[in-house]
Amino acid sequence: MPDTLTEPQSEILDAAATCFMKLGVSVASVDDIARSLGATKGRIYHHFASKGALLGAVRLQAPEFTRQAIAPVIDDSLPPGRNFHNMALAHVAAVFATLPYHKVVMQHYTGLEPKSPTEADRAMEARIMAANAGYENLFRAVIHKGMELGEFRRQNLSVALHSVLILLNAPVFWYSPRPSEPEGFTAQVARQLADMGLAALI
């Protein structure tokens, strides 16, 4: 899969993420994805070689969405706490905006790896791991700086990083949009989670 998605590829991945989320990765088929698009399987196979390729592309895109969201708000001239809080707000907002992708990532971690991975599967897994590590390092850097400057308490950096990211990803586990949802609910949740993440560090 290329680094930059075309519009047709993005449309297919949106449909795939939604189908995987609703039906489950193990159940959803390329037929289901094509049907949701009102398209043929041929249109999908023109861009993605298999269901596994679609799943890999969805998993690869999830950290890209959050990276694109937080990159504009990172400001190393700010105190680490404020910088972290801005990043956390942007992260949670991006999770809400692209929720199906992140729910698919969660499903994958329940043990749905291919039993006999191909060379292409292994290459995609390496890309996904690199993308996730690169994204995590953006938060690692600001947390480390906060510890070095004494704004954050010194503790195991990796434990702090991954625990805070689990907290910021919490809506993936419990959130589903509701017709009766109060206006601004997701923004309120984002602020609460950002506050909680910061409180765990200072």
Side-chain angles (χ1 to χ4, degrees):
M1 189 185 78
D3 292 331
T4 303
L5 296 175
T6 64
E7 186 174 341
Q9 287 172 331
S10 294
E11 187 179 39
I12 291 168
L13 284 190
D14 285 348
T18 300
C19 283
F20 289 148
M21 177 185 70
K22 290 181 176 178
L23 302 177
V25 170
S26 61
V27 174
S29 67
V30 174
D31 280 316
D32 293 317
I33 297 165
R35 194 176 303 115
S36 73
L37 284 166
T40 65
K41 288 194 294 184
R43 178 185 170 194
I44 293 174
Y45 286 132
H46 177 71
H47 296 283
F48 299 95
S50 65
K51 174 181 166 180
L54 278 168
L55 175 59
V58 167
R59 291 176 56 219
L60 185 62
Q61 192 62 25
E64 179 60 15
F65 283 132
T66 46
R67 187 196 66 77
Q68 290 173 358
I70 76 164
V73 306
I74 296 174
D75 185 349
D76 290 335
S77 70
L78 294 175
R82 185 174 169 193
N83 196 18
F84 170 86
H85 196 267
N86 290 342
M87 292 166 64
L89 280 172
H91 174 96
V92 181
V95 167
F96 277 124
T98 56
L99 191 66
Y101 287 80
H102 303 283
K103 283 187 176 285
V104 170
V105 170
M106 179 185 70
Q107 286 187 34
H108 174 80
Y109 287 118
T110 62
L112 293 170
E113 298 86 354
K115 294 180 181 178
S116 302
T118 65
E119 185 175 341
D121 291 331
R122 288 190 287 270
M124 175 58 81
E125 196 66 30
R127 289 182 66 187
I128 292 167
M129 290 178 65
N132 285 330
Y135 181 71
E136 289 172 358
N137 283 340
L138 298 175
F139 277 93
R140 185 186 298 273
V142 71
I143 294 172
H144 179 261
K145 183 177 180 180
M147 290 181 182
E148 289 296 303
L149 294 177
E151 186 174 347
F152 299 160
R153 73 177 182 274
R154 287 193 177 273
Q155 52 187 319
N156 184 291
L157 178 57
S158 290
V159 172
L161 167 69
H162 291 108
S163 298
V164 164
L165 286 176
I166 287 172
L167 173 64
L168 298 181
N169 285 320
V172 176
F173 297 91
W174 57 262
Y175 176 75
S176 293
R178 297 177 314 223
S180 59
E181 187 171 284
E183 184 177 355
F185 175 73
T186 58
Q188 292 172 10
V189 171
R191 182 161 296 280
Q192 180 174 344
L193 291 176
D195 290 349
M196 292 169 67
L198 182 57
L201 297 171
I202 60 176

